[in-house]
């Protein structure tokens, strides 16, 4: 399934009264399930099972489970989309290197199919590094920020 097709399916599911959808082919297994105000996507390849949740709408950013060698954690992308560091070009960035952030604070916006999704932090700390540039296309699970708790 191409990413554009997946985005269309997500949008249709989000706007419908259907709560769960499963699709399985020879190359992949896709399960979509609404959870409250989000839509969760799980993808499993038959040879190597991998679960990949990707909420649509506002959600908290996943934080890398283990701290790296320099005691930082990573905030990762929840979905494929375009990374925006600010709400619009005339406004300042949500966060900059050196900023203190709190749990629940918006750190960026990810845009997919004209839907702008706020990404909220699940960790408090200092922004050590921003790993992508404004307007970059990001992949699911791609590290976006390094935070020192």
């Amino acid at each position: 399934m191409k990413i554009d097709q997946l985005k269309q399916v997500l949008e249709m599911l989000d706007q419908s009264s259907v709560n769960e959808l499963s699709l399985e082919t020879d190359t992949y297994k896709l399960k979509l399930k609404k959870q409250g105000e989000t839509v969760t996507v799980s993808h499993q390849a038959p040879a190597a099972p991998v679960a990949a949740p990707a909420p649509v709408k506002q959600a908290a950013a996943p934080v890398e489970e283990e701290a790296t060698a320099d005691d930082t954690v990573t905030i990762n992308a929840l979905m494929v989309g375009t990374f925006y560091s600010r709400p619009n070009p005339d406004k300042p960035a949500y966060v900059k290197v050196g900023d203190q952030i709190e749990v629940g604070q918006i750190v960026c916006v990810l845009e997919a199919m004209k839907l702008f999704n706020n990404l909220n932090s699940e960790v408090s700390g200092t922004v050590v590094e921003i790993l992508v540039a404004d307007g970059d296309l990001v992949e699911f699970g791609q590290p976006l920020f390094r935070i020192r708790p």
Side-chain angles (χ1 to χ4, degrees):
M1 177 178 278
K2 294 182 181 177
I3 192 69
D4 291 339
Q5 293 170 321
L6 179 59
K7 288 178 184 179
Q8 288 176 338
V9 170
L10 283 170
E11 189 173 88
M12 288 187 294
L13 179 65
D14 189 43
Q15 295 173 359
S16 76
S17 61
V18 175
N19 289 325
E20 190 170 327
L21 173 71
S22 295
L23 175 66
E24 189 170 342
T25 69
D26 294 336
T27 56
Y28 64 87
K29 180 179 179 181
L30 178 69
K31 183 176 181 181
L32 302 172
K33 184 176 181 181
K34 285 186 182 179
Q35 295 178 341
E37 287 297 310
T38 63
V39 177
T40 301
V41 179
S42 294
H43 171 268
Q44 273 188 291
V50 176
V56 175
K57 294 194 180 194
Q58 185 165 327
V63 177
E64 194 171 84
E65 293 285 330
E66 296 180 25
T68 59
D70 60 359
D71 293 330
T72 61
V73 292
T74 305
I75 297 176
N76 301 321
L78 293 173
M79 61 193 302
V80 173
T82 304
F83 172 88
Y84 293 109
S85 63
R86 57 191 79 230
N88 68 51
D90 300 333
K91 301 286 184 184
Y94 288 109
V95 297
K96 300 180 299 292
V97 173
D99 284 356
Q100 281 293 122
I101 62 170
E102 300 297 324
V103 172
Q105 180 177 338
I106 298 172
V107 292
C108 69
V109 172
L110 296 177
E111 182 260 329
M113 293 185 59
K114 306 293 182 206
L115 295 174
F116 294 84
N117 304 288
N118 293 334
L119 188 63
N120 298 339
S121 176
E122 282 190 352
V123 63
S124 295
T126 304
V127 178
V128 175
E129 186 177 7
I130 301 173
L131 303 168
V132 292
D134 207 33
D136 282 356
L137 181 63
V138 297
E139 297 293 325
F140 171 79
Q142 178 177 342
L144 304 175
F145 301 92
R146 284 189 357 174
I147 309 297
R148 180 166 291 114

